[in-house]
Amino acid sequence: MAIPPPPCERVREALLRPGARHWLIDHINACAECHIAAEPIFAELSAIFLDAHRRYQEVSAGFEVRLKALSRESEPPGTVDVSSALLLNFARAVNDDALRIYQHDRHDSLGAVRWLQYTFLACRAFECERLIEHKIAFENPKTRVGAAKVPDSPEKTWADVTAPSTMVRDHLRYGTFPFNFALQETIQAELTKKKFVHALVLICDPAKHGVMSPILNVVSAAHVEQIYALGFEAAISALHAFGEYLAPV
């Protein structure tokens, strides 16, 4: 027996819940009334993306100008070495990939998270670990996310319960996952202080160790546009810090 579609009232109540957006979009696209109700909300969210994207473009373009000015001192003038060319590539890709993924599907939270992971790599390439993370303290003592104990199962860590193999084995059938409330408060503390690189580190660094807790949190607690805005803000901070470190031109 087919599962009946959710009532329109339920859909509209859930519109502002990021975790529900992926499941509701088919109904919203098919239902004229819900589509009309959703468009102002999605327009406001789109404005968040476009504003952060515009400001990142400006900063990234300024970095390119600065690097080209420095290259005039090269032999021969205008030469850009491989390392510098890679930095330019990183800066451009952060911009271009975000635009490409978002324009293809503005409701693709997993695409946004993949992009966020790339942006974390780009920020680290711009030495944000040395220039920002080690110079400005985290709001709360930085701990290894994976090593933290799970409140409901103190014998287990977040590395235990959110490893990809555990998620596939224990949660795939029902589509569930454990939400890390303590980590969410820690991330929010960084965002409140506009320490976007620090928030990016808390979200993206554990994934390379197979600890998916922060990623799972983000896709359920943040809208697609908010994920992109965080990445752009962190990249802006990283480019600013790197630019200040370079000799004046």
Coordinates of all heavy atoms in Angstrom, one line a residue, residues 154-223:
P154 N 27.6 5.8 27.7 CA 28.9 6.3 28.1 C 30.0 5.3 27.9 O 31.2 5.7 27.9 CB 28.7 6.5 29.6 CG 27.5 5.7 30.0 CD 26.6 5.7 28.8
E155 N 29.7 4.1 27.6 CA 30.8 3.1 27.2 C 31.3 3.3 25.8 O 32.2 2.7 25.4 CB 30.3 1.7 27.5 CG 29.4 1.1 26.5 CD 27.9 1.6 26.6 OE1 27.7 2.4 27.6 OE2 27.1 1.2 25.8
K156 N 30.5 4.1 25.0 CA 30.9 4.3 23.6 C 31.3 5.8 23.4 O 30.9 6.7 24.1 CB 29.7 4.0 22.7 CG 29.2 2.5 22.8 CD 28.1 2.3 21.8 CE 27.7 0.8 21.8 NZ 26.5 0.6 21.0
T157 N 32.1 6.0 22.4 CA 32.5 7.3 22.0 C 31.7 7.7 20.7 O 31.1 6.8 20.0 CB 34.0 7.4 21.7 OG1 34.3 6.6 20.6 CG2 34.8 6.9 22.9
W158 N 31.9 9.0 20.3 CA 31.2 9.4 19.0 C 31.9 8.8 17.8 O 31.3 8.6 16.8 CB 31.2 10.9 18.9 CG 30.2 11.5 19.9 CD1 30.4 12.1 21.1 CD2 28.8 11.5 19.6 NE1 29.2 12.5 21.6 CE2 28.2 12.2 20.8 CE3 27.9 11.1 18.6 CZ2 26.8 12.3 20.9 CZ3 26.6 11.3 18.7 CH2 26.0 11.9 19.8
A159 N 33.2 8.4 18.0 CA 33.9 7.7 16.9 C 33.3 6.3 16.8 O 33.2 5.8 15.6 CB 35.4 7.6 17.3
D160 N 32.8 5.7 17.9 CA 32.2 4.4 17.8 C 30.8 4.5 17.1 O 30.6 3.7 16.2 CB 32.0 3.8 19.2 CG 33.2 3.6 19.9 OD1 34.3 3.2 19.3 OD2 33.2 3.7 21.2
V161 N 30.0 5.4 17.5 CA 28.6 5.4 17.0 C 28.4 6.2 15.7 O 27.3 6.0 15.1 CB 27.7 6.0 18.1 CG1 27.8 5.2 19.4 CG2 28.0 7.5 18.4
T162 N 29.4 7.0 15.2 CA 29.2 7.7 14.0 C 30.2 7.3 12.9 O 30.3 8.1 11.9 CB 29.1 9.2 14.2 OG1 30.4 9.7 14.6 CG2 28.0 9.6 15.2
A163 N 30.9 6.3 13.1 CA 31.8 5.8 12.0 C 31.0 5.3 10.9 O 29.9 4.8 11.1 CB 32.7 4.6 12.5
P164 N 31.4 5.6 9.6 CA 30.6 5.2 8.5 C 30.2 3.7 8.5 O 29.0 3.4 8.2 CB 31.5 5.4 7.3 CG 32.4 6.6 7.8 CD 32.6 6.3 9.2
S165 N 31.0 2.8 9.0 CA 30.7 1.4 9.0 C 29.5 1.2 10.0 O 28.6 0.4 9.8 CB 31.9 0.5 9.4 OG 32.5 1.0 10.6
T166 N 29.6 1.9 11.2 CA 28.5 1.8 12.1 C 27.2 2.3 11.6 O 26.1 1.7 11.8 CB 28.9 2.5 13.4 OG1 30.1 2.0 13.9 CG2 27.8 2.3 14.5
M167 N 27.3 3.5 10.9 CA 26.1 4.1 10.4 C 25.4 3.1 9.4 O 24.2 3.0 9.4 CB 26.4 5.4 9.7 CG 27.0 6.5 10.7 SD 25.8 6.9 12.0 CE 24.5 7.6 11.1
V168 N 26.2 2.5 8.5 CA 25.6 1.6 7.5 C 25.0 0.4 8.2 O 23.9 -0.1 7.8 CB 26.7 1.2 6.5 CG1 26.2 0.1 5.6 CG2 27.1 2.4 5.7
R169 N 25.7 -0.1 9.2 CA 25.3 -1.3 9.8 C 24.0 -1.1 10.7 O 23.1 -1.9 10.7 CB 26.4 -1.9 10.7 CG 26.1 -3.3 11.3 CD 27.2 -3.8 12.1 NE 27.5 -2.9 13.3 CZ 28.6 -2.2 13.5 NH1 29.6 -2.3 12.6 NH2 28.7 -1.5 14.6
D170 N 24.0 0.0 11.5 CA 23.0 0.2 12.5 C 21.9 1.1 12.1 O 20.8 1.1 12.7 CB 23.6 0.7 13.8 CG 24.6 -0.3 14.4 OD1 24.6 -1.5 14.0 OD2 25.4 0.1 15.3
H171 N 22.1 2.0 11.1 CA 21.2 3.1 10.9 C 20.6 3.1 9.5 O 19.6 3.8 9.2 CB 21.8 4.5 11.2 CG 22.1 4.6 12.6 ND1 21.2 5.0 13.6 CD2 23.3 4.4 13.3 CE1 21.8 5.0 14.8 NE2 23.0 4.7 14.7
L172 N 21.2 2.5 8.5 CA 20.8 2.6 7.1 C 19.4 2.1 6.9 O 18.6 2.8 6.2 CB 21.7 1.7 6.2 CG 21.4 1.7 4.7 CD1 21.5 3.1 4.2 CD2 22.3 0.7 4.0
R173 N 19.0 1.1 7.6 CA 17.6 0.5 7.4 C 16.5 1.6 7.7 O 15.5 1.6 7.1 CB 17.4 -0.7 8.2 CG 16.1 -1.4 8.1 CD 16.0 -2.7 8.9 NE 14.7 -3.4 8.7 CZ 14.4 -4.5 9.3 NH1 15.3 -5.1 10.2 NH2 13.2 -5.0 9.2
Y174 N 16.8 2.3 8.8 CA 15.7 3.3 9.2 C 16.0 4.7 8.9 O 15.2 5.6 9.2 CB 15.5 3.1 10.7 CG 15.1 1.7 11.1 CD1 16.0 0.8 11.7 CD2 13.8 1.2 10.9 CE1 15.6 -0.5 12.0 CE2 13.4 -0.1 11.2 CZ 14.4 -0.9 11.8 OH 14.0 -2.2 12.1
G175 N 17.2 5.0 8.4 CA 17.6 6.4 8.1 C 17.8 7.2 9.3 O 17.6 8.5 9.2
T176 N 18.2 6.6 10.4 CA 18.4 7.4 11.7 C 19.9 7.7 11.9 O 20.7 7.2 11.2 CB 17.9 6.6 12.9 OG1 18.6 5.4 12.9 CG2 16.4 6.3 12.7
F177 N 20.1 8.6 12.8 CA 21.5 8.9 13.2 C 21.5 9.6 14.6 O 20.5 10.2 14.9 CB 22.3 9.8 12.2 CG 21.7 11.2 12.1 CD1 22.2 12.2 12.9 CD2 20.8 11.5 11.1 CE1 21.7 13.5 12.8 CE2 20.3 12.7 11.0 CZ 20.7 13.7 11.8
P178 N 22.6 9.5 15.4 CA 22.6 10.1 16.7 C 23.1 11.6 16.5 O 24.1 11.9 15.8 CB 23.7 9.3 17.4 CG 24.5 8.7 16.4 CD 23.7 8.5 15.1
F179 N 22.4 12.5 17.1 CA 22.7 13.9 17.1 C 23.6 14.3 18.3 O 23.2 13.9 19.4 CB 21.4 14.8 17.1 CG 21.6 16.2 16.8 CD1 21.6 16.7 15.5 CD2 21.9 17.1 17.8 CE1 21.8 18.0 15.2 CE2 22.1 18.5 17.5 CZ 22.1 18.9 16.2
N180 N 24.7 15.0 18.0 CA 25.6 15.3 19.1 C 25.3 16.7 19.6 O 25.8 17.7 19.1 CB 27.1 15.3 18.5 CG 28.1 15.4 19.6 OD1 27.9 15.9 20.6 ND2 29.3 14.9 19.2
F181 N 24.5 16.8 20.6 CA 24.0 18.1 21.2 C 25.2 18.9 21.8 O 25.2 20.1 21.6 CB 22.9 17.9 22.2 CG 21.6 17.4 21.6 CD1 21.3 16.1 21.6 CD2 20.7 18.3 21.1 CE1 20.1 15.7 21.0 CE2 19.5 17.9 20.5 CZ 19.2 16.6 20.5
A182 N 26.1 18.2 22.5 CA 27.2 18.9 23.1 C 28.1 19.6 22.0 O 28.5 20.7 22.2 CB 28.0 18.0 24.0
L183 N 28.3 18.9 21.0 CA 29.1 19.4 19.9 C 28.4 20.6 19.2 O 29.1 21.6 18.9 CB 29.4 18.3 18.8 CG 30.2 18.8 17.6 CD1 31.5 19.3 17.9 CD2 30.3 17.6 16.6
Q184 N 27.1 20.5 19.1 CA 26.4 21.6 18.4 C 26.5 22.9 19.2 O 26.7 24.0 18.7 CB 24.9 21.2 18.3 CG 24.1 22.0 17.3 CD 24.6 21.8 15.9 OE1 25.3 20.9 15.6 NE2 24.3 22.8 15.0
E185 N 26.5 22.8 20.6 CA 26.7 23.9 21.4 C 28.1 24.5 21.2 O 28.3 25.7 21.2 CB 26.4 23.6 22.9 CG 25.0 23.2 23.2 CD 24.8 22.8 24.6 OE1 25.8 22.9 25.4 OE2 23.6 22.5 25.0
T186 N 29.1 23.6 21.1 CA 30.4 24.1 20.9 C 30.6 24.8 19.6 O 31.3 25.8 19.5 CB 31.4 22.8 21.0 OG1 31.2 22.2 22.2 CG2 32.8 23.3 20.8
I187 N 30.0 24.3 18.5 CA 30.1 24.9 17.2 C 29.4 26.3 17.3 O 29.9 27.3 16.8 CB 29.5 24.0 16.1 CG1 30.3 22.8 15.9 CG2 29.3 24.8 14.8 CD1 29.7 21.7 15.0
Q188 N 28.2 26.3 17.9 CA 27.5 27.5 18.0 C 28.2 28.6 18.8 O 28.1 29.8 18.4 CB 26.1 27.3 18.7 CG 25.1 28.4 18.6 CD 24.9 28.9 17.1 OE1 24.5 28.0 16.3 NE2 25.0 30.2 16.8
A189 N 29.0 28.2 19.8 CA 29.8 29.2 20.5 C 30.8 29.9 19.6 O 31.0 31.1 19.8 CB 30.5 28.5 21.7
E190 N 31.4 29.1 18.7 CA 32.3 29.7 17.8 C 31.6 30.7 16.8 O 32.1 31.8 16.5 CB 33.1 28.6 17.0 CG 33.8 27.6 17.8 CD 34.9 28.2 18.7 OE1 35.4 29.3 18.4 OE2 35.3 27.6 19.7
L191 N 30.5 30.2 16.3 CA 29.7 31.0 15.3 C 29.2 32.3 16.0 O 29.2 33.4 15.3 CB 28.5 30.2 14.8 CG 28.9 29.0 13.9 CD1 27.6 28.3 13.5 CD2 29.6 29.5 12.7
T192 N 28.8 32.3 17.2 CA 28.3 33.5 17.9 C 29.4 34.5 18.0 O 29.2 35.7 17.9 CB 27.9 33.1 19.3 OG1 26.8 32.2 19.2 CG2 27.4 34.3 20.1
K193 N 30.7 34.1 18.1 CA 31.8 35.0 18.2 C 32.4 35.3 16.8 O 33.5 35.9 16.7 CB 32.9 34.4 19.1 CG 32.5 34.2 20.5 CD 32.4 35.6 21.2 CE 32.2 35.4 22.7 NZ 32.1 36.8 23.4
K194 N 31.7 34.8 15.8 CA 32.2 35.0 14.4 C 33.5 34.4 14.1 O 34.3 34.9 13.3 CB 32.1 36.5 14.0 CG 30.8 37.1 14.1 CD 30.8 38.5 13.6 CE 29.4 39.2 13.7 NZ 28.3 38.5 13.1
K195 N 33.8 33.3 14.8 CA 35.1 32.6 14.6 C 34.8 31.4 13.6 O 34.7 30.3 14.0 CB 35.7 32.2 15.9 CG 36.1 33.3 16.8 CD 36.2 33.0 18.2 CE 37.3 32.1 18.6 NZ 37.5 32.0 20.0
F196 N 34.7 31.8 12.3 CA 34.2 30.9 11.3 C 35.2 29.7 11.0 O 34.8 28.6 10.8 CB 33.8 31.6 10.1 CG 32.7 32.6 10.3 CD1 33.0 34.0 10.3 CD2 31.4 32.3 10.6 CE1 32.1 35.0 10.5 CE2 30.4 33.2 10.8 CZ 30.8 34.6 10.8
V197 N 36.5 30.1 11.1 CA 37.5 29.0 10.8 C 37.4 28.0 11.9 O 37.5 26.8 11.7 CB 38.9 29.6 10.7 CG1 40.0 28.6 10.8 CG2 39.0 30.4 9.4
H198 N 37.2 28.4 13.2 CA 37.2 27.5 14.3 C 36.0 26.6 14.1 O 36.1 25.4 14.4 CB 37.1 28.3 15.6 CG 38.4 29.0 15.9 ND1 38.7 30.1 15.2 CD2 39.3 28.8 16.9 CE1 39.9 30.6 15.7 NE2 40.2 29.8 16.7
A199 N 34.8 27.1 13.7 CA 33.6 26.3 13.5 C 33.9 25.3 12.4 O 33.5 24.2 12.5 CB 32.4 27.2 13.2
L200 N 34.5 25.8 11.3 CA 34.8 24.9 10.2 C 35.7 23.7 10.6 O 35.5 22.6 10.2 CB 35.5 25.7 9.1 CG 35.7 25.0 7.8 CD1 34.4 24.8 7.1 CD2 36.7 25.8 6.9
V201 N 36.7 24.0 11.5 CA 37.6 23.0 12.0 C 36.8 21.9 12.7 O 36.9 20.7 12.5 CB 38.7 23.5 12.9 CG1 39.5 22.4 13.5 CG2 39.6 24.4 12.0
L202 N 35.9 22.4 13.6 CA 35.1 21.4 14.4 C 34.2 20.6 13.6 O 33.9 19.4 13.9 CB 34.3 22.2 15.4 CG 35.0 22.9 16.6 CD1 34.1 23.8 17.4 CD2 35.7 21.9 17.5
I203 N 33.7 21.1 12.5 CA 32.8 20.4 11.6 C 33.6 19.4 10.7 O 33.2 18.3 10.5 CB 32.0 21.4 10.8 CG1 31.0 22.2 11.7 CG2 31.2 20.6 9.7 CD1 30.4 23.3 11.0
C204 N 34.7 19.9 10.1 CA 35.3 19.2 9.0 C 36.5 18.3 9.4 O 36.7 17.3 8.7 CB 35.7 20.1 7.9 SG 34.3 21.0 7.1
D205 N 37.2 18.7 10.4 CA 38.4 17.9 10.8 C 38.1 16.5 11.2 O 38.8 15.5 10.7 CB 39.2 18.6 11.9 CG 40.6 18.2 11.9 OD1 41.2 17.9 10.8 OD2 41.2 18.2 13.0
P206 N 37.1 16.2 12.0 CA 36.8 14.8 12.4 C 36.5 13.8 11.2 O 36.8 12.7 11.3 CB 35.6 14.9 13.3 CG 35.7 16.3 13.8 CD 36.2 17.1 12.7
A207 N 35.9 14.3 10.2 CA 35.5 13.5 9.1 C 36.7 12.7 8.4 O 36.5 11.6 8.0 CB 34.7 14.3 8.0
K208 N 37.8 13.4 8.4 CA 39.0 12.7 7.8 C 39.5 11.5 8.6 O 40.3 10.7 8.2 CB 40.1 13.7 7.5 CG 40.9 14.2 8.7 CD 42.0 15.1 8.2 CE 43.0 15.5 9.3 NZ 42.4 16.4 10.3
H209 N 39.0 11.4 9.9 CA 39.3 10.3 10.7 C 38.1 9.3 10.8 O 38.1 8.4 11.7 CB 39.6 10.8 12.2 CG 40.8 11.7 12.2 ND1 42.1 11.4 11.9 CD2 40.8 13.1 12.5 CE1 42.9 12.4 12.0 NE2 42.1 13.5 12.4
G210 N 37.1 9.5 10.0 CA 36.0 8.6 10.0 C 35.0 8.9 11.1 O 34.2 8.0 11.4
V211 N 35.0 10.1 11.6 CA 34.0 10.5 12.7 C 33.0 11.4 12.0 O 33.3 12.6 11.7 CB 34.7 11.2 13.9 CG1 33.7 11.6 14.9 CG2 35.8 10.3 14.5
M212 N 31.8 10.9 11.8 CA 30.8 11.7 11.0 C 29.9 12.5 11.8 O 29.0 13.2 11.3 CB 30.1 10.7 10.1 CG 30.9 9.8 9.2 SD 32.1 10.8 8.3 CE 31.0 11.6 7.1
S213 N 30.0 12.5 13.1 CA 29.1 13.2 14.0 C 28.9 14.7 13.6 O 27.8 15.1 13.5 CB 29.7 13.1 15.5 OG 28.9 14.0 16.3
P214 N 30.0 15.5 13.4 CA 29.7 16.9 13.0 C 29.0 17.1 11.7 O 28.1 17.9 11.6 CB 31.1 17.5 12.9 CG 32.0 16.5 13.7 CD 31.4 15.2 13.5
I215 N 29.3 16.2 10.7 CA 28.6 16.3 9.4 C 27.2 16.0 9.6 O 26.3 16.6 9.0 CB 29.3 15.3 8.4 CG1 30.8 15.7 8.2 CG2 28.5 15.4 7.1 CD1 31.0 17.1 7.6
L216 N 26.9 14.9 10.3 CA 25.5 14.6 10.6 C 24.7 15.7 11.2 O 23.5 16.0 10.9 CB 25.4 13.3 11.4 CG 26.0 12.0 10.8 CD1 26.1 10.9 11.8 CD2 25.2 11.6 9.6
N217 N 25.4 16.3 12.2 CA 24.7 17.5 12.9 C 24.4 18.6 11.9 O 23.3 19.1 11.8 CB 25.7 18.1 13.9 CG 25.6 17.4 15.3 OD1 25.2 16.2 15.3 ND2 25.9 18.1 16.3
V218 N 25.4 18.9 11.0 CA 25.2 20.1 10.1 C 24.1 19.8 9.1 O 23.3 20.7 8.9 CB 26.5 20.3 9.4 CG1 26.3 21.3 8.2 CG2 27.5 20.9 10.4
V219 N 24.0 18.7 8.5 CA 23.0 18.5 7.5 C 21.6 18.5 8.1 O 20.6 18.7 7.4 CB 23.2 17.1 6.7 CG1 24.5 17.2 5.9 CG2 23.2 15.9 7.6
S220 N 21.4 18.3 9.4 CA 20.1 18.3 10.0 C 19.8 19.6 10.7 O 18.6 19.9 10.9 CB 20.0 17.2 11.1 OG 20.8 17.4 12.2
A221 N 20.8 20.4 11.0 CA 20.6 21.7 11.8 C 20.8 22.9 11.0 O 20.4 24.0 11.4 CB 21.5 21.7 13.0
A222 N 21.4 22.8 9.8 CA 21.7 24.0 9.0 C 21.1 23.9 7.6 O 21.2 22.8 7.0 CB 23.2 24.3 8.9
H223 N 20.5 25.0 7.1 CA 20.0 25.0 5.7 C 21.2 25.0 4.8 O 22.3 25.4 5.1 CB 19.2 26.2 5.5 CG 17.8 26.1 5.9 ND1 16.9 25.3 5.2 CD2 17.1 26.6 7.0 CE1 15.7 25.3 5.8 NE2 15.8 26.1 6.9

